[in-house]
């Protein structure tokens, strides 16, 4: 049997190469109705633009059908259809390759280059908890998720600032945000001794305001560094205070002192010092952060040459709530939903305390992170999104996580009772038993209008059982999803960076929807009859893979799996 992890990216790359020079045209199918007949498609209009008379040469079709290579999924057939060139994989072989190495698909793809060194700065965490706005909370959650994704992909990440407010630390723990803490401000002596000669006195010989050490003309800094692109034109002078120096001192310490011997280099934007500072800010904080960037460059010769801003869009809600009030609201709604479902009050039950805490954090994180961070977020405060019946919430994802745990606990209990045999070696499983959903029969082929089209209609497909949907849309692409989540679009010139932190939440919601639909249709633990065990074990191995992927995805959000709800 062939070894090595299959990849969607590797397969698409090989398919496009097989068509010859030109722009990529193949794409992966994701919709269930299309996956009944094909897995990849090269659309007809794109092929007509590439090939004379729109006719794909026969040798090209044969080359695609016989495609092989590292990471390339085995091909069953490639045939022209009215939609374009359709390709279907050898699904039993793909099941065998993927489900025989489940742990490999619950981890990110190996990076092509050493991971970056990133100082991830979230200024919202310097304030008091009671003043934390929803837009700032969004920035905190984006920074936490991005830090986890970057580390999972091999990056070395320093988080700034260390949180000093004990109430803020408790709040972050409730939300499962992993952030360092400190009891004192960073020492500013080194910075204070360096720049005093650089600071300008008050204009017109007047005195400086109390607590102000001097002023810096930031427009001069922009001109010196040639970095005006992206900066607010109103950025001018900056009043240097002890508090500002304390902020810079902490950033300076993070850049100069890295724990351990982490990987060096910066794949996205190479620097002599091998480090990038990424400031994750709310839109209200960006102007002040721009001034701080320029001041850092002015006062510290060793400041990273690359500083980028990831600006989170505003959060709009019907009521003006602080972040703690928002958490309390969601926690109360989670408790209420559980009481309605169970028929009794559970908020005081110690066995449910942790469950409600995780559900509250999951609800908030999925709400805050399911929209691209740069976009405006509209927050619905009603409790309709808390129910496990809804399909767009963190509660729904955690509910299906618990369903998977219950399924495997049920199998374990039945095995202990002697109803089912022990799980056999994965290498002995027959994954062709998962192919009952594929029933499209292609007829004989005859050329029609320059295209080889079927002379008879394919047989109508049976209702899909969902196994291929779970594997092809859930398990197989997950390593590449992890890599995309950790990707920072910061190589372009200018101040701003973008990140796709919404991808993981959307993926987990869709995976939960596909699993829920499958689980509601298919009885996994059937009657204890020997002739049914083969299919049962194949299905259990598939759902083991789904569980591993689900747990790995939740880990990038800082959420532990739940065993019951």
């Amino acid at each position: 049997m062939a070894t090595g992890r299959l990849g969607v990216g590797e397969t698409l790359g090989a398919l496009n190469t097989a068509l010859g020079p030109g722009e990529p045209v193949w794409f992966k199918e994701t919709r269930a109705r299309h996956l009944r007949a094909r897995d990849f498609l090269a659309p007809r209009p794109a092929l007509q633009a590439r090939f004379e008379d729109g006719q794909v040469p026969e040798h090209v079709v044969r080359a695609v059908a016989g495609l092989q290579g590292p990471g390339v999924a085995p091909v069953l057939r490639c045939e022209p259809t009215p939609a374009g060139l359709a390709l279907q994989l050898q699904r039993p072989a793909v099941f065998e390759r993927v489900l025989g190495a489940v742990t490999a698909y619950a981890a990110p793809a190996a990076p092509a280059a050493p991971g970056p060194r990133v100082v991830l700065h979230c200024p919202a965490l310097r304030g008091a908890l009671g003043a934390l706005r929803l837009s700032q909370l969004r920035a905190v959650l984006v920074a936490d998720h991005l830090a986890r994704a970057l580390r999972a992909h091999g990056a070395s990440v320093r988080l700034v600032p260390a949180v000093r407010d004990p109430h803020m630390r408790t709040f972050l723990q409730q939300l499962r945000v992993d952030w360092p803490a400190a009891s004192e401000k960073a020492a500013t002596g080194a910075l204070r001794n360096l720049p005093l000669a650089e600071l300008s006195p008050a204009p017109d010989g007047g005195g400086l305001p109390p607590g102000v050490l001097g002023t810096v003309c930031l427009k001069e800094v922009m001109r010196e560094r040639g970095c005006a692109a992206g900066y607010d034109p109103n950025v001018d002078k900056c009043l240097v205070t002890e508090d500002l120096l304390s902020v810079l001192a902490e950033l300076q310490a993070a850049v100069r002192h890295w724990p351990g011997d982490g990987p060096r280099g910066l794949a996205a934007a190479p620097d002599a010092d091998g480090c990038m500072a990424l400031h994750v800010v709310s839109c209200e904080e960006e102007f002040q952060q721009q001034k701080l960037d320029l001041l850092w460059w002015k006062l510290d010769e060793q400041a990273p040459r690359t500083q980028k801003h990831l600006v989170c869009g505003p959060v709009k809600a019907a009521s003006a709530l602080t972040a703690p009030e928002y958490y309390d609201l969601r926690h109360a709604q989670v408790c209420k939903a559980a009481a309605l479902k169970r028929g009794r009050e559970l908020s005081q039950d110690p066995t449910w305390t942790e469950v409600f805490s995780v559900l509250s954090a999951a609800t908030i994180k999925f709400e805050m992170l399911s929209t691209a961070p740069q976009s405006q977020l509209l927050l619905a405060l009603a409790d309709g999104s808390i129910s496990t019946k809804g399909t767009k919430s963190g509660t729904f994802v955690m509910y299906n996580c618990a369903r998977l745990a219950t399924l495997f606990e049920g199998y374990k209990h039945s095995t202990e009772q002697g109803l089912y045999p022990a799980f056999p070696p994965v290498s002995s499983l027959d994954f062709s038993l998962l192919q009952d959903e594929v029933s499209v029969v292609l007829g004989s082929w005859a050329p029609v209008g320059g295209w080889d089209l079927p002379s008879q209609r394919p047989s109508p497909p049976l209702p899909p059982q969902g196994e291929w949907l779970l594997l092809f849309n859930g398990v197989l692409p997950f390593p590449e999803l992890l890599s995309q989540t950790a990707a920072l679009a910061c190589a372009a010139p200018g101040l701003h960076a973008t990140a796709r932190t919404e991808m993981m939440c959307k993926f987990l919601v869709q995976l939960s929807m596909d699993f829920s639909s499958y689980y509601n249709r298919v009885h996994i633990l059937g009657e204890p009859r020997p002739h049914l065990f083969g299919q049962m074990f194949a299905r259990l191995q598939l759902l083991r893979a789904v569980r591993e992927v689900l747990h790995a995805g939740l880990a990038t959000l800082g959420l532990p799996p739940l065993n019951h709800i």
Side-chain angles (χ1 to χ4, degrees):
M1 185 183 74
T3 60
R5 185 165 65 182
L6 301 179
V8 174
E10 289 88 341
T11 303
L12 285 171
L15 288 173
N16 284 305
T17 299
L19 287 184
E23 293 296 318
V25 298
W26 287 94
F27 69 88
K28 174 185 174 294
E29 293 286 8
T30 57
R31 296 186 179 182
R33 64 188 181 93
H34 292 152
L35 288 173
R36 292 173 183 172
R38 63 183 185 243
D39 299 316
F40 296 90
L41 179 71
R44 184 176 181 183
L47 295 175
Q48 288 175 325
R50 175 171 293 194
F51 297 101
E52 186 178 352
D53 299 326
Q55 181 68 45
V56 182
E58 183 62 29
H59 73 275
V60 173
V61 177
R62 287 198 301 269
V64 172
L67 209 59
Q68 293 181 357
V72 177
V75 177
L76 175 64
R77 58 174 170 246
C78 175
E79 297 163 326
T81 70
L85 203 57
L87 181 139
Q88 190 173 80
L89 301 177
Q90 298 178 27
R91 294 185 176 182
V94 176
F95 272 118
E96 184 178 357
R97 290 277 297 275
V98 175
L99 299 183
V102 168
T103 55
Y105 291 87
R117 284 192 169 192
V118 181
V119 172
L120 204 55
H121 175 221
C122 187
L125 290 172
R126 286 198 170 83
L129 174 60
L132 190 67
R133 300 186 300 273
L134 293 180
S135 57
Q136 292 176 306
L137 173 62
R138 185 186 192 187
V140 171
L141 297 180
V142 166
D144 176 64
H145 176 43
L146 188 57
R148 295 175 192 273
L150 286 168
R151 284 170 172 158
H153 201 56
S156 182
V157 181
R158 294 293 305 273
L159 300 176
V160 179
V163 177
R164 292 188 297 273
D165 181 355
H167 302 294
M168 180 73 81
R169 292 201 295 266
T170 301
F171 181 66
L172 295 180
Q173 290 169 1
Q174 289 176 323
L175 286 172
R176 270 63 184 177
V177 171
D178 186 14
W179 207 272
S183 57
E184 298 178 355
K185 287 186 177 182
T188 63
L191 279 171
R192 291 192 81 237
N193 294 333
L194 259 176
L196 289 180
E198 303 280 346
L199 302 182
S200 303
D204 303 325
L208 292 168
V212 175
L213 304 176
T215 64
V216 171
C217 180
L218 299 179
K219 288 190 180 296
E220 291 181 2
V221 180
M222 284 190 278
R223 284 194 296 268
E224 291 170 2
R225 303 191 67 90
C227 62
Y231 282 88
D232 192 300
N234 295 314
V235 170
D236 190 0
K237 293 189 179 298
C238 178
L239 300 179
V240 181
T241 65
E242 189 72 27
D243 285 342
L244 274 182
L245 291 183
S246 178
V247 171
L248 293 181
E250 190 169 12
L251 288 167
Q252 183 187 64
V255 168
R256 296 184 181 181
H257 306 291
W258 291 88
D261 296 319
R264 292 200 62 84
L266 184 62
D271 264 352
D273 55 10
C275 175
M276 178 181 72
L278 180 65
H279 307 283
V280 184
V281 297
S282 66
C283 50
E284 300 94 339
E285 296 168 320
E286 186 188 13
F287 182 77
Q288 183 62 30
Q289 185 57 49
Q290 289 183 13
K291 297 169 70 173
L292 188 67
D293 290 0
L294 297 167
L295 183 63
W296 191 8
W297 275 326
K298 179 68 174 178
L299 303 185
D300 183 5
E301 292 181 352
Q302 297 185 41
R305 290 202 295 268
T306 300
Q307 293 192 63
K308 294 287 185 176
H309 285 202
L310 178 57
V311 182
C312 298
V315 178
K316 303 293 184 182
S319 303
L321 296 177
T322 64
E325 290 170 342
Y326 171 53
Y327 178 86
D328 291 341
L329 173 67
R330 287 301 186 226
H331 188 270
Q333 290 170 341
V334 164
C335 294
K336 177 183 176 182
L340 291 173
K341 181 178 180 181
R342 298 285 177 175
R344 58 190 177 92
E345 177 61 42
L346 298 169
S347 60
Q348 304 303 316
D349 187 335
T351 61
W352 284 88
T353 301
E354 178 69 6
V355 172
F356 292 155
S357 178
V358 172
L359 286 177
S360 301
T363 299
I364 290 171
K365 287 191 172 186
F366 274 79
E367 283 180 327
M368 288 282 182
L369 296 175
S370 292
T371 301
Q374 298 83 6
S375 302
Q376 176 176 287
L377 174 62
L378 300 176
L379 205 58
L381 297 179
D383 57 5
S385 62
I386 304 301
S387 170
T388 58
K389 302 297 183 182
T391 58
K392 301 296 184 183
S393 69
T395 308
F396 176 72
V397 174
M398 303 307 291
Y399 170 66
N400 283 285
C401 181
R403 293 173 86 182
L404 276 166
T406 301
L407 170 68
F408 284 98
E409 186 61 32
Y411 167 72
K412 178 183 177 183
H413 182 68
S414 297
T415 302
E416 292 170 350
Q417 290 184 322
L419 296 176
Y420 300 131
F423 203 91
V426 175
S427 59
S428 70
L429 299 181
D430 183 4
F431 292 111
S432 66
L433 297 173
L434 299 177
Q435 288 293 290
D436 57 341
E437 61 180 297
V438 182
S439 58
V440 176
V441 179
L442 299 170
S444 59
W445 296 93
V448 178
W451 276 74
D452 292 336
L453 301 180
S455 59
Q456 69 182 58
R457 293 184 177 180
S459 301
L462 294 173
Q465 295 297 311
E467 285 106 347
W468 183 247
L469 201 65
L470 288 169
L471 184 108
F472 194 60
N473 284 349
V475 181
L476 181 62
F478 185 68
E480 292 171 49
L481 173 76
L482 285 174
S483 300
Q484 292 165 6
T485 303
L488 288 171
C490 57
L495 177 64
H496 296 105
T498 59
R500 303 192 63 186
T501 51
E502 78 281 2
M503 293 178 67
M504 184 57 69
C505 287
K506 290 183 175 180
F507 171 84
L508 292 176
V509 166
Q510 186 60 55
L511 178 61
S512 298
M513 290 172 64
D514 292 340
F515 164 70
S516 181
S517 176
Y518 173 70
Y519 190 77
N520 290 339
R521 287 196 313 268
V522 179
H523 192 50
I524 308 298
L525 300 180
E527 296 183 19
R529 298 181 180 180
H531 70 283
L532 299 176
F533 288 158
Q535 186 178 56
M536 181 188 75
F537 287 133
R539 286 173 169 170
L540 283 173
Q541 181 64 12
L542 170 62
L543 294 183
R544 277 182 175 175
V546 171
R547 182 181 62 176
E548 289 291 321
V549 165
L550 188 59
H551 288 187
L554 289 173
T556 69
L557 300 171
L559 296 170
L562 290 180
N563 295 325
H564 70 281
I565 292 183

